[in-house]
Amino acid sequence: MTMDFIQYGLGRWLHIMAGVLWVGLLYYFNFVQVDALKKAAADTPPTGAGITKHVAPRALLFFRWAAVATVLLGFFILGAKADDALLFKERAYIPIGIGAWLGLIMIFNVWVLIWPNQKKILGLVPATDEEKNKARRVAFLASRTNTMLSIPMLFFMVASGGIFRRAIFG
Amino acid sequence: MKNPLDSLWGTVISGFALTVVLYYLARAMMGGA
């Protein structure tokens, strides 16, 4: 098994699998859970307890660690070309560089804005009602920002290699 | 003005708009038209 096979073959495959898990759960939160919890809270009595107790913590567990796996595997694929991509040093690496920066902003949002605030919302760390309300807004906007950023991020990921890059960017 | 991220479809449309902007930025950075 050559290093190229491990880095570009296995590495890319695992990077995409981890990315599907990360962005899939991000889309679950934004397309499904946010609205479902809003409707559950309006029920009499409220019916969202099972989601916040059993579903959300498990979804967040896979979500945040899939983000780490995705980014680490992305750097594994880039290898010594990481600085060419992130610093836009080489023409061919500009699309993946933009995609990588979008991914880095997204993982920052996951670990710095979403997860610490979700811990307050879910009662995993103590917080007053006022702190919980603020945490809810920050986590929501960070999650929505990531959903927005995922669209160009995925575009630049799929537009960055070989025939795809030439077809899109010439 | 309402924050487009408060709406799911506002978020998705913002994502597509950002894609177009970044596409032309990337082309310019790559020396294209």
Side-chain angles (χ1 to χ4, degrees):
Chain A
M1 200 180 292
T2 66
M3 189 55 207
D4 275 3
F5 178 80
I6 295 169
Q7 186 180 358
Y8 301 124
L10 294 181
R12 193 165 193 243
W13 174 48
L14 293 171
H15 173 64
I16 290 169
M17 286 212 314
V20 167
L21 183 57
W22 176 16
V23 176
L25 284 167
L26 174 71
Y27 288 174
Y28 159 73
F29 289 127
N30 280 274
F31 285 78
V32 179
Q33 190 183 280
V34 168
D35 205 47
L37 277 178
K38 211 179 282 174
K39 289 191 171 107
D43 283 344
T44 317
T47 55
I51 299 173
T52 50
K53 187 179 174 188
H54 299 294
V55 178
R58 189 169 171 80
L60 281 164
L61 172 74
F62 283 99
F63 171 72
R64 66 183 186 274
W65 288 110
V68 172
T70 307
V71 170
L72 289 179
L73 285 160
F75 277 108
F76 176 65
I77 300 166
L78 282 171
K81 291 287 187 181
D83 66 322
D84 285 345
L86 291 174
L87 301 177
F88 309 119
K89 284 180 180 172
E90 206 175 307
R91 185 184 185 275
Y93 281 81
I94 287 172
I96 195 65
I98 294 173
W101 272 113
L102 292 168
L104 289 173
I105 296 167
M106 288 172 66
I107 197 173
F108 174 89
N109 285 342
V110 169
W111 280 93
V112 178
L113 297 175
I114 297 174
W115 176 232
N117 283 299
Q118 280 291 350
K119 281 196 281 191
K120 290 180 192 169
I121 297 163
L122 296 171
L124 303 175
V125 295
T128 63
D129 283 349
E130 193 187 335
E131 285 170 331
K132 277 186 187 177
N133 282 336
K134 194 182 166 204
R136 215 167 267 129
R137 184 67 181 158
V138 173
F140 170 79
L141 284 176
S143 186
R144 279 289 160 89
T145 300
N146 273 8
T147 302
M148 176 186 73
L149 294 178
S150 72
I151 294 169
M153 184 274 292
L154 288 170
F155 173 82
F156 283 98
M157 289 292 159
V158 300
S160 65
I163 56 169
F164 305 105
R165 189 185 67 245
R166 282 191 289 279
I168 292 171
F169 294 103
Chain B
M1 197 177 106
K2 206 180 156 196
N3 187 340
L5 300 184
D6 277 319
S7 137
L8 180 60
W9 298 114
T11 302
V12 172
I13 291 163
S14 300
F16 280 107
L18 183 60
T19 305
V20 173
V21 171
L22 289 175
Y23 168 73
Y24 282 104
L25 178 71
R27 277 184 63 138
M29 288 167 75
M30 292 168 81

